[in-house]
Amino acid sequence: MIEKDPYLLTPGPLTTSLTVKQAMLRDWGSWDGDFNGMTAQVCQRLLEAAGGEQSHVCVPVQGSGTFAVEAVLGTLIAPDSHTLVLMNGAYGKRIGQILDYLDRPYLSIDKGDYEPPRGDEVAAFLSAHPEVAQVVVVHCETSSGILNPIEEIAEVCEQAGTRLIIDSMSAFGALPVSVAALPCAALVSSANKCFEGVPGFGFAIIERSLLEGAQGRCHSLSLDLYEQWRYMEKNGQWRYTPPTHVVAAFLQALKEHEAEGGVAGRLTRYTRNRNRLVAGMRELGFQTLLADEWLSPIITTFLSPGASTFDFRQFYDEIKHQGFVIYPGKLTVTDSFRIGCIGQLFDEQMDDVISAVANACKNMGLTLPVPPPVLTPDNLKSD
Ligand SMILES: *Cc1c(COP(=O)(O)O)cnc(C)c1O
């Protein structure tokens, strides 16, 4: 008998369904019509989920999500064009790092670990910096779990005539978005987040007219999304070896996404998971980093309890032993950990992880409810 895998309460890779895994049990030729048909279906379904059928195209690219972000920035941003990066965590910082590598000029608004960038400050910044041609924002900043207000940011970008690029890696598929309505020039995501596929490729939903003008701009041969798109349009094939099994699994994942009610259905389940998780953890005495208003239905950051006996490594092992993998924190100012609610997780798993947390606390000699964190969200804000 195969030992049961632990549930992954992480922001991807995540726990996938058995049928998604089973879709990988066949070998496909990369030139084969059946495989090309799967790629075309995947792109069409993603375009529909993004509300971009009339205005945008979908271009997949091999690699993890960061490869797709780098491909989008390198393909769409001209060498001397100025960018504003909105940062409030590790993924916003990574966008700045990519632009550094690409030697593209950029400015940033850095809100630290747990504050969202707001429309009015972006508007003020853009009017003071008319040279900015595009704004890049992270939809759900997975390092804290904060849900950034992309609608108000899109609105001020449109008013200022500035393009918007969204890293919606950990949100697309679970949070409603319409690239045409926002509007947004490009949205990036990957196979192993809210659509619940396995890792292996990312994709971008790009305004067609913008991509049409991007020939010869990319710094990288393999990350050139213009060339990837043209090649796919012409031959129906990926340029260079595609992750065939991953694409087959992803098509199955997209069918299951649709069967669950699409974006709305998935949002309902993830929100329910998040509410159950947060309520249960609060009952045990844990505090969330963020106020309820900014909590995403993707992943939640909890502050470590203020007890010298609390040790994350031991906490992690105790919980894993009970069948759940959680995620370390990624904050600069305080100790924390994260628990995700995306993937094949339902009421039962959320309830069981709360019990696992309670057991882990008892085994570490903590009394319940656990003592409050040394730094609370309130005194975090005042420094
Ligand atoms: C997961 C994620 C990425 C991409 O990370 P990879 O490890 O390269 O797949 C980028 N941005 C956000 C917001 C993410 O959650």
Side-chain angles (χ1 to χ4, degrees):
M1 201 180 97
I2 304 169
E3 202 191 319
K4 201 171 178 302
D5 287 334
Y7 286 97
L8 304 181
L9 286 89
T10 58
L14 36 66
T15 297
T16 57
S17 69
L18 180 62
T19 36
V20 163
K21 287 187 266 280
Q22 282 169 337
M24 292 186 285
L25 293 176
R26 291 180 61 188
D27 301 313
W28 305 84
S30 59
W31 38 264
D32 184 74
D34 291 342
F35 177 71
N36 295 338
M38 290 201 290
T39 299
Q41 261 201 72
V42 161
C43 290
Q44 185 55 34
R45 283 169 180 262
L46 290 173
L47 207 51
E48 283 165 19
E53 300 102 303
Q54 306 302 322
S55 47
H56 289 59
V57 295
C58 173
V59 191
V61 64
Q62 297 92 330
S64 86
T66 305
F67 291 59
V69 175
E70 187 159 353
V72 163
L73 299 178
T75 303
L76 299 185
I77 302 178
D80 53 355
S81 178
H82 290 254
T83 302
L84 168 62
V85 184
L86 306 181
M87 300 178 181
N88 56 346
Y91 292 101
K93 286 209 171 75
R94 188 177 295 174
I95 288 162
Q97 205 183 358
I98 293 170
L99 293 173
D100 280 331
Y101 263 76
L102 301 186
D103 212 14
R104 303 289 200 267
Y106 71 94
L107 298 160
S108 58
I109 298 179
D110 191 342
K111 303 289 293 189
D113 276 342
Y114 47 81
E115 302 277 356
R118 300 307 302 258
D120 49 3
E121 62 189 316
V122 174
F125 196 98
L126 290 178
S127 66
H129 297 278
E131 74 276 19
V132 169
Q134 53 270 318
V135 171
V136 188
V137 65
V138 178
H139 194 170
C140 170
E141 177 47 86
T142 324
S143 41
S144 64
I146 195 167
L147 193 55
N148 285 326
I150 56 158
E151 287 81 8
E152 64 183 48
I153 289 162
E155 193 182 328
V156 300
C157 286
E158 191 185 21
Q159 279 160 9
T162 312
R163 277 189 293 272
L164 179 64
I165 298 174
I166 303 177
D167 170 353
S168 188
M169 205 71 62
S170 63
F172 185 48
L175 287 161
V177 62
S178 164
V179 288
L182 269 175
C184 142
L187 177 140
V188 194
S189 189
S190 73
N192 60 283
K193 302 237 172 164
C194 296
F195 285 103
E196 300 186 357
V198 304
F201 71 92
F203 54 86
I205 311 291
I206 307 174
E207 209 171 70
R208 175 187 281 272
S209 55
L210 189 61
L211 190 58
E212 279 169 351
Q215 185 173 16
R217 186 183 290 148
C218 194
H219 63 291
S220 157
L221 172 70
S222 53
L223 295 179
D224 189 333
L225 292 186
Y226 175 86
E227 293 300 333
Q228 178 88 322
W229 174 56
R230 293 320 303 227
Y231 192 86
M232 216 170 247
E233 288 273 286
K234 208 162 135 211
N235 307 307
Q237 296 170 18
W238 299 54
R239 250 182 355 150
Y240 318 137
T241 303
T244 47
H245 300 75
V246 179
V247 173
F250 194 63
L251 181 57
Q252 176 62 27
L254 283 167
K255 289 175 182 167
E256 293 174 16
H257 182 265
E258 186 184 319
E260 193 176 357
V263 171
R266 196 137 293 180
L267 179 62
T268 301
R269 175 163 60 87
Y270 288 176
T271 302
R272 191 178 158 94
N273 285 349
R274 192 271 320 275
N275 291 345
R276 233 172 161 90
L277 173 72
V278 169
M281 290 294 283
R282 283 181 176 156
E283 222 162 274
L284 298 180
F286 287 91
Q287 294 185 16
T288 59
L289 169 74
L290 302 170
D292 288 4
E293 178 189 3
W294 302 110
L295 288 178
S296 65
I298 309 294
I299 190 165
T300 303
T301 298
F302 295 97
L303 300 176
S304 300
S308 56
T309 49
F310 183 86
D311 170 63
F312 177 74
R313 196 65 235 184
Q314 191 190 344
F315 186 61
Y316 176 94
D317 289 340
E318 296 268 3
I319 293 170
K320 184 173 174 191
H321 186 68
Q322 298 171 76
F324 300 94
V325 169
I326 63 166
Y327 220 51
K330 218 175 191 173
L331 303 181
T332 47
V333 287
T334 187
D335 282 342
S336 62
F337 60 91
R338 292 175 287 172
I339 302 183
C341 35
I342 64 177
Q344 284 292 291
L345 304 171
F346 302 86
D347 288 356
E348 185 189 339
Q349 286 75 39
M350 300 327 282
D351 292 347
D352 288 353
V353 78
I354 301 291
S355 307
V357 167
N359 289 334
C361 288
K362 284 178 204 149
N363 292 345
M364 285 191 295
L366 292 168
T367 51
L368 294 175
V370 296
V374 179
L375 283 169
T376 67
D378 284 337
N379 64 30
L380 270 174
K381 276 194 192 86
S382 61
D383 65 41

PDB file of all heavy atoms in Angstrom, residues 172-204:
ATOM      1  N   PHE A 172      -5.449  34.264 -10.114  1.00  0.00           N
ATOM      2  CA  PHE A 172      -6.224  33.971 -11.315  1.00  0.00           C
ATOM      3  C   PHE A 172      -6.781  32.544 -11.248  1.00  0.00           C
ATOM      4  O   PHE A 172      -6.062  31.596 -10.943  1.00  0.00           O
ATOM      5  CB  PHE A 172      -5.339  34.152 -12.551  1.00  0.00           C
ATOM      6  CG  PHE A 172      -6.070  33.991 -13.859  1.00  0.00           C
ATOM      7  CD1 PHE A 172      -7.279  34.641 -14.081  1.00  0.00           C
ATOM      8  CD2 PHE A 172      -5.541  33.200 -14.869  1.00  0.00           C
ATOM      9  CE1 PHE A 172      -7.949  34.499 -15.287  1.00  0.00           C
ATOM     10  CE2 PHE A 172      -6.209  33.055 -16.090  1.00  0.00           C
ATOM     11  CZ  PHE A 172      -7.412  33.706 -16.297  1.00  0.00           C
ATOM     12  N   GLY A 173      -8.067  32.448 -11.521  1.00  0.00           N
ATOM     13  CA  GLY A 173      -8.742  31.153 -11.420  1.00  0.00           C
ATOM     14  C   GLY A 173      -9.654  31.112 -10.213  1.00  0.00           C
ATOM     15  O   GLY A 173     -10.629  30.365 -10.183  1.00  0.00           O
ATOM     16  N   ALA A 174      -9.351  31.944  -9.194  1.00  0.00           N
ATOM     17  CA  ALA A 174     -10.181  31.966  -7.989  1.00  0.00           C
ATOM     18  C   ALA A 174     -10.766  33.352  -7.735  1.00  0.00           C
ATOM     19  O   ALA A 174     -11.784  33.478  -7.060  1.00  0.00           O
ATOM     20  CB  ALA A 174      -9.379  31.525  -6.772  1.00  0.00           C
ATOM     21  N   LEU A 175     -10.125  34.391  -8.241  1.00  0.00           N
ATOM     22  CA  LEU A 175     -10.660  35.738  -8.056  1.00  0.00           C
ATOM     23  C   LEU A 175     -11.106  36.260  -9.409  1.00  0.00           C
ATOM     24  O   LEU A 175     -10.371  36.138 -10.387  1.00  0.00           O
ATOM     25  CB  LEU A 175      -9.601  36.651  -7.432  1.00  0.00           C
ATOM     26  CG  LEU A 175      -9.393  36.308  -5.948  1.00  0.00           C
ATOM     27  CD1 LEU A 175      -8.085  36.847  -5.435  1.00  0.00           C
ATOM     28  CD2 LEU A 175     -10.546  36.832  -5.115  1.00  0.00           C
ATOM     29  N   PRO A 176     -12.301  36.822  -9.466  1.00  0.00           N
ATOM     30  CA  PRO A 176     -12.803  37.258 -10.766  1.00  0.00           C
ATOM     31  C   PRO A 176     -11.951  38.379 -11.331  1.00  0.00           C
ATOM     32  O   PRO A 176     -11.545  39.287 -10.611  1.00  0.00           O
ATOM     33  CB  PRO A 176     -14.226  37.745 -10.455  1.00  0.00           C
ATOM     34  CG  PRO A 176     -14.261  37.982  -8.987  1.00  0.00           C
ATOM     35  CD  PRO A 176     -13.235  37.102  -8.366  1.00  0.00           C
ATOM     36  N   VAL A 177     -11.657  38.298 -12.621  1.00  0.00           N
ATOM     37  CA  VAL A 177     -10.892  39.357 -13.267  1.00  0.00           C
ATOM     38  C   VAL A 177     -11.333  39.397 -14.726  1.00  0.00           C
ATOM     39  O   VAL A 177     -11.614  38.357 -15.323  1.00  0.00           O
ATOM     40  CB  VAL A 177      -9.371  39.108 -13.121  1.00  0.00           C
ATOM     41  CG1 VAL A 177      -8.938  37.834 -13.795  1.00  0.00           C
ATOM     42  CG2 VAL A 177      -8.554  40.268 -13.637  1.00  0.00           C
ATOM     43  N   SER A 178     -11.452  40.600 -15.257  1.00  0.00           N
ATOM     44  CA  SER A 178     -11.691  40.738 -16.685  1.00  0.00           C
ATOM     45  C   SER A 178     -10.652  41.708 -17.222  1.00  0.00           C
ATOM     46  O   SER A 178     -10.669  42.891 -16.902  1.00  0.00           O
ATOM     47  CB  SER A 178     -13.095  41.274 -16.960  1.00  0.00           C
ATOM     48  OG  SER A 178     -13.151  41.730 -18.305  1.00  0.00           O
ATOM     49  N   VAL A 179      -9.731  41.176 -18.023  1.00  0.00           N
ATOM     50  CA  VAL A 179      -8.648  42.021 -18.543  1.00  0.00           C
ATOM     51  C   VAL A 179      -9.202  43.140 -19.419  1.00  0.00           C
ATOM     52  O   VAL A 179      -8.636  44.234 -19.462  1.00  0.00           O
ATOM     53  CB  VAL A 179      -7.588  41.194 -19.304  1.00  0.00           C
ATOM     54  CG1 VAL A 179      -6.763  40.353 -18.349  1.00  0.00           C
ATOM     55  CG2 VAL A 179      -8.215  40.333 -20.399  1.00  0.00           C
ATOM     56  N   ALA A 180     -10.317  42.874 -20.099  1.00  0.00           N
ATOM     57  CA  ALA A 180     -10.896  43.904 -20.969  1.00  0.00           C
ATOM     58  C   ALA A 180     -11.562  44.991 -20.132  1.00  0.00           C
ATOM     59  O   ALA A 180     -11.443  46.174 -20.419  1.00  0.00           O
ATOM     60  CB  ALA A 180     -11.895  43.272 -21.923  1.00  0.00           C
ATOM     61  N   ALA A 181     -12.255  44.599 -19.072  1.00  0.00           N
ATOM     62  CA  ALA A 181     -12.997  45.576 -18.266  1.00  0.00           C
ATOM     63  C   ALA A 181     -12.094  46.381 -17.344  1.00  0.00           C
ATOM     64  O   ALA A 181     -12.359  47.547 -17.074  1.00  0.00           O
ATOM     65  CB  ALA A 181     -14.082  44.868 -17.460  1.00  0.00           C
ATOM     66  N   LEU A 182     -11.010  45.785 -16.867  1.00  0.00           N
ATOM     67  CA  LEU A 182     -10.195  46.486 -15.853  1.00  0.00           C
ATOM     68  C   LEU A 182      -9.753  47.885 -16.283  1.00  0.00           C
ATOM     69  O   LEU A 182     -10.008  48.823 -15.492  1.00  0.00           O
ATOM     70  CB  LEU A 182      -8.981  45.625 -15.484  1.00  0.00           C
ATOM     71  CG  LEU A 182      -9.158  44.667 -14.312  1.00  0.00           C
ATOM     72  CD1 LEU A 182      -7.934  43.791 -14.129  1.00  0.00           C
ATOM     73  CD2 LEU A 182      -9.478  45.381 -13.014  1.00  0.00           C
ATOM     74  N   PRO A 183      -9.036  48.129 -17.373  1.00  0.00           N
ATOM     75  CA  PRO A 183      -8.396  47.197 -18.292  1.00  0.00           C
ATOM     76  C   PRO A 183      -6.979  46.876 -17.834  1.00  0.00           C
ATOM     77  O   PRO A 183      -6.418  47.579 -17.015  1.00  0.00           O
ATOM     78  CB  PRO A 183      -8.366  47.993 -19.589  1.00  0.00           C
ATOM     79  CG  PRO A 183      -8.197  49.417 -19.157  1.00  0.00           C
ATOM     80  CD  PRO A 183      -8.844  49.541 -17.792  1.00  0.00           C
ATOM     81  N   CYS A 184      -6.436  45.822 -18.434  1.00  0.00           N
ATOM     82  CA  CYS A 184      -5.088  45.413 -18.083  1.00  0.00           C
ATOM     83  C   CYS A 184      -4.390  44.895 -19.340  1.00  0.00           C
ATOM     84  O   CYS A 184      -4.961  44.125 -20.104  1.00  0.00           O
ATOM     85  CB  CYS A 184      -5.217  44.361 -16.985  1.00  0.00           C
ATOM     86  SG  CYS A 184      -4.112  43.012 -17.005  1.00  0.00           S
ATOM     87  N   ALA A 185      -3.175  45.382 -19.572  1.00  0.00           N
ATOM     88  CA  ALA A 185      -2.438  45.057 -20.799  1.00  0.00           C
ATOM     89  C   ALA A 185      -1.945  43.619 -20.787  1.00  0.00           C
ATOM     90  O   ALA A 185      -1.891  42.951 -21.817  1.00  0.00           O
ATOM     91  CB  ALA A 185      -1.259  46.013 -20.977  1.00  0.00           C
ATOM     92  N   ALA A 186      -1.552  43.139 -19.611  1.00  0.00           N
ATOM     93  CA  ALA A 186      -1.073  41.760 -19.513  1.00  0.00           C
ATOM     94  C   ALA A 186      -1.302  41.223 -18.113  1.00  0.00           C
ATOM     95  O   ALA A 186      -1.141  41.950 -17.121  1.00  0.00           O
ATOM     96  CB  ALA A 186       0.414  41.676 -19.866  1.00  0.00           C
ATOM     97  N   LEU A 187      -1.707  39.973 -18.041  1.00  0.00           N
ATOM     98  CA  LEU A 187      -1.918  39.289 -16.769  1.00  0.00           C
ATOM     99  C   LEU A 187      -1.142  37.975 -16.823  1.00  0.00           C
ATOM    100  O   LEU A 187      -1.201  37.261 -17.821  1.00  0.00           O
ATOM    101  CB  LEU A 187      -3.419  39.047 -16.570  1.00  0.00           C
ATOM    102  CG  LEU A 187      -3.847  38.275 -15.333  1.00  0.00           C
ATOM    103  CD1 LEU A 187      -5.126  38.900 -14.751  1.00  0.00           C
ATOM    104  CD2 LEU A 187      -4.137  36.818 -15.661  1.00  0.00           C
ATOM    105  N   VAL A 188      -0.402  37.689 -15.763  1.00  0.00           N
ATOM    106  CA  VAL A 188       0.466  36.503 -15.759  1.00  0.00           C
ATOM    107  C   VAL A 188       0.030  35.541 -14.662  1.00  0.00           C
ATOM    108  O   VAL A 188      -0.303  35.961 -13.543  1.00  0.00           O
ATOM    109  CB  VAL A 188       1.936  36.898 -15.474  1.00  0.00           C
ATOM    110  CG1 VAL A 188       2.879  35.747 -15.811  1.00  0.00           C
ATOM    111  CG2 VAL A 188       2.343  38.151 -16.229  1.00  0.00           C
ATOM    112  N   SER A 189       0.041  34.251 -14.975  1.00  0.00           N
ATOM    113  CA  SER A 189      -0.251  33.242 -13.955  1.00  0.00           C
ATOM    114  C   SER A 189       0.439  31.939 -14.347  1.00  0.00           C
ATOM    115  O   SER A 189       1.189  31.899 -15.328  1.00  0.00           O
ATOM    116  CB  SER A 189      -1.765  33.068 -13.795  1.00  0.00           C
ATOM    117  OG  SER A 189      -2.044  32.245 -12.680  1.00  0.00           O
ATOM    118  N   SER A 190       0.208  30.887 -13.563  1.00  0.00           N
ATOM    119  CA  SER A 190       0.869  29.621 -13.871  1.00  0.00           C
ATOM    120  C   SER A 190      -0.044  28.443 -13.593  1.00  0.00           C
ATOM    121  O   SER A 190      -1.112  28.577 -12.997  1.00  0.00           O
ATOM    122  CB  SER A 190       2.175  29.490 -13.088  1.00  0.00           C
ATOM    123  OG  SER A 190       1.901  29.245 -11.737  1.00  0.00           O
ATOM    124  N   ALA A 191       0.422  27.256 -14.023  1.00  0.00           N
ATOM    125  CA  ALA A 191      -0.419  26.058 -14.012  1.00  0.00           C
ATOM    126  C   ALA A 191      -0.717  25.526 -12.610  1.00  0.00           C
ATOM    127  O   ALA A 191      -1.733  24.869 -12.395  1.00  0.00           O
ATOM    128  CB  ALA A 191       0.252  24.956 -14.843  1.00  0.00           C
ATOM    129  N   ASN A 192       0.191  25.818 -11.652  1.00  0.00           N
ATOM    130  CA  ASN A 192       0.095  25.100 -10.370  1.00  0.00           C
ATOM    131  C   ASN A 192      -0.490  25.935  -9.230  1.00  0.00           C
ATOM    132  O   ASN A 192      -0.181  25.691  -8.072  1.00  0.00           O
ATOM    133  CB  ASN A 192       1.474  24.574  -9.967  1.00  0.00           C
ATOM    134  CG  ASN A 192       2.487  25.691  -9.808  1.00  0.00           C
ATOM    135  OD1 ASN A 192       2.989  26.215 -10.803  1.00  0.00           O
ATOM    136  ND2 ASN A 192       2.769  26.086  -8.598  1.00  0.00           N
ATOM    137  N   LYS A 193      -1.336  26.909  -9.546  1.00  0.00           N
ATOM    138  CA  LYS A 193      -1.957  27.670  -8.454  1.00  0.00           C
ATOM    139  C   LYS A 193      -3.470  27.432  -8.473  1.00  0.00           C
ATOM    140  O   LYS A 193      -3.872  26.277  -8.366  1.00  0.00           O
ATOM    141  CB  LYS A 193      -1.536  29.127  -8.557  1.00  0.00           C
ATOM    142  CG  LYS A 193       0.008  29.244  -8.504  1.00  0.00           C
ATOM    143  CD  LYS A 193       0.546  30.115  -7.424  1.00  0.00           C
ATOM    144  CE  LYS A 193       2.060  29.977  -7.356  1.00  0.00           C
ATOM    145  NZ  LYS A 193       2.721  31.029  -6.616  1.00  0.00           N
ATOM    146  N   CYS A 194      -4.272  28.476  -8.649  1.00  0.00           N
ATOM    147  CA  CYS A 194      -5.714  28.289  -8.411  1.00  0.00           C
ATOM    148  C   CYS A 194      -6.447  27.420  -9.435  1.00  0.00           C
ATOM    149  O   CYS A 194      -7.572  27.004  -9.173  1.00  0.00           O
ATOM    150  CB  CYS A 194      -6.390  29.636  -8.256  1.00  0.00           C
ATOM    151  SG  CYS A 194      -5.787  30.530  -6.812  1.00  0.00           S
ATOM    152  N   PHE A 195      -5.835  27.136 -10.563  1.00  0.00           N
ATOM    153  CA  PHE A 195      -6.485  26.189 -11.479  1.00  0.00           C
ATOM    154  C   PHE A 195      -6.172  24.746 -11.080  1.00  0.00           C
ATOM    155  O   PHE A 195      -6.704  23.808 -11.667  1.00  0.00           O
ATOM    156  CB  PHE A 195      -6.082  26.455 -12.933  1.00  0.00           C
ATOM    157  CG  PHE A 195      -6.763  27.679 -13.516  1.00  0.00           C
ATOM    158  CD1 PHE A 195      -6.074  28.868 -13.654  1.00  0.00           C
ATOM    159  CD2 PHE A 195      -8.099  27.635 -13.883  1.00  0.00           C
ATOM    160  CE1 PHE A 195      -6.705  29.993 -14.180  1.00  0.00           C
ATOM    161  CE2 PHE A 195      -8.735  28.759 -14.410  1.00  0.00           C
ATOM    162  CZ  PHE A 195      -8.034  29.941 -14.560  1.00  0.00           C
ATOM    163  N   GLU A 196      -5.263  24.591 -10.116  1.00  0.00           N
ATOM    164  CA  GLU A 196      -4.985  23.286  -9.512  1.00  0.00           C
ATOM    165  C   GLU A 196      -4.385  22.273 -10.488  1.00  0.00           C
ATOM    166  O   GLU A 196      -4.760  21.096 -10.496  1.00  0.00           O
ATOM    167  CB  GLU A 196      -6.242  22.731  -8.808  1.00  0.00           C
ATOM    168  CG  GLU A 196      -6.739  23.666  -7.700  1.00  0.00           C
ATOM    169  CD  GLU A 196      -7.904  23.094  -6.882  1.00  0.00           C
ATOM    170  OE1 GLU A 196      -8.391  21.990  -7.182  1.00  0.00           O
ATOM    171  OE2 GLU A 196      -8.306  23.772  -5.905  1.00  0.00           O
ATOM    172  N   GLY A 197      -3.457  22.749 -11.317  1.00  0.00           N
ATOM    173  CA  GLY A 197      -2.670  21.846 -12.153  1.00  0.00           C
ATOM    174  C   GLY A 197      -1.344  21.556 -11.470  1.00  0.00           C
ATOM    175  O   GLY A 197      -1.112  21.964 -10.325  1.00  0.00           O
ATOM    176  N   VAL A 198      -0.478  20.835 -12.178  1.00  0.00           N
ATOM    177  CA  VAL A 198       0.856  20.553 -11.627  1.00  0.00           C
ATOM    178  C   VAL A 198       1.848  21.559 -12.220  1.00  0.00           C
ATOM    179  O   VAL A 198       1.591  22.151 -13.261  1.00  0.00           O
ATOM    180  CB  VAL A 198       1.282  19.080 -11.904  1.00  0.00           C
ATOM    181  CG1 VAL A 198       0.246  18.112 -11.341  1.00  0.00           C
ATOM    182  CG2 VAL A 198       1.501  18.834 -13.387  1.00  0.00           C
ATOM    183  N   PRO A 199       2.987  21.775 -11.550  1.00  0.00           N
ATOM    184  CA  PRO A 199       3.923  22.794 -12.035  1.00  0.00           C
ATOM    185  C   PRO A 199       4.610  22.403 -13.342  1.00  0.00           C
ATOM    186  O   PRO A 199       4.805  21.222 -13.617  1.00  0.00           O
ATOM    187  CB  PRO A 199       4.948  22.916 -10.897  1.00  0.00           C
ATOM    188  CG  PRO A 199       4.747  21.782  -9.990  1.00  0.00           C
ATOM    189  CD  PRO A 199       3.413  21.179 -10.270  1.00  0.00           C
ATOM    190  N   GLY A 200       4.971  23.411 -14.145  1.00  0.00           N
ATOM    191  CA  GLY A 200       5.691  23.142 -15.382  1.00  0.00           C
ATOM    192  C   GLY A 200       5.578  24.220 -16.442  1.00  0.00           C
ATOM    193  O   GLY A 200       6.394  24.290 -17.342  1.00  0.00           O
ATOM    194  N   PHE A 201       4.537  25.058 -16.341  1.00  0.00           N
ATOM    195  CA  PHE A 201       4.499  26.193 -17.272  1.00  0.00           C
ATOM    196  C   PHE A 201       3.708  27.349 -16.673  1.00  0.00           C
ATOM    197  O   PHE A 201       2.939  27.179 -15.726  1.00  0.00           O
ATOM    198  CB  PHE A 201       3.946  25.795 -18.646  1.00  0.00           C
ATOM    199  CG  PHE A 201       2.466  25.496 -18.709  1.00  0.00           C
ATOM    200  CD1 PHE A 201       1.542  26.498 -19.014  1.00  0.00           C
ATOM    201  CD2 PHE A 201       1.998  24.213 -18.481  1.00  0.00           C
ATOM    202  CE1 PHE A 201       0.174  26.219 -19.079  1.00  0.00           C
ATOM    203  CE2 PHE A 201       0.640  23.915 -18.546  1.00  0.00           C
ATOM    204  CZ  PHE A 201      -0.274  24.933 -18.849  1.00  0.00           C
ATOM    205  N   GLY A 202       3.972  28.521 -17.228  1.00  0.00           N
ATOM    206  CA  GLY A 202       3.201  29.714 -16.897  1.00  0.00           C
ATOM    207  C   GLY A 202       2.543  30.217 -18.167  1.00  0.00           C
ATOM    208  O   GLY A 202       2.738  29.640 -19.244  1.00  0.00           O
ATOM    209  N   PHE A 203       1.744  31.257 -18.047  1.00  0.00           N
ATOM    210  CA  PHE A 203       1.089  31.797 -19.243  1.00  0.00           C
ATOM    211  C   PHE A 203       0.768  33.260 -19.022  1.00  0.00           C
ATOM    212  O   PHE A 203       0.696  33.722 -17.875  1.00  0.00           O
ATOM    213  CB  PHE A 203      -0.189  31.003 -19.569  1.00  0.00           C
ATOM    214  CG  PHE A 203      -1.148  30.905 -18.415  1.00  0.00           C
ATOM    215  CD1 PHE A 203      -2.091  31.893 -18.174  1.00  0.00           C
ATOM    216  CD2 PHE A 203      -1.085  29.820 -17.546  1.00  0.00           C
ATOM    217  CE1 PHE A 203      -2.957  31.802 -17.092  1.00  0.00           C
ATOM    218  CE2 PHE A 203      -1.949  29.721 -16.452  1.00  0.00           C
ATOM    219  CZ  PHE A 203      -2.889  30.716 -16.233  1.00  0.00           C
ATOM    220  N   ALA A 204       0.615  33.961 -20.133  1.00  0.00           N
ATOM    221  CA  ALA A 204       0.257  35.370 -20.052  1.00  0.00           C
ATOM    222  C   ALA A 204      -0.921  35.648 -20.965  1.00  0.00           C
ATOM    223  O   ALA A 204      -1.021  35.086 -22.054  1.00  0.00           O
ATOM    224  CB  ALA A 204       1.449  36.227 -20.454  1.00  0.00           C
TER     225      ALA A 204
END
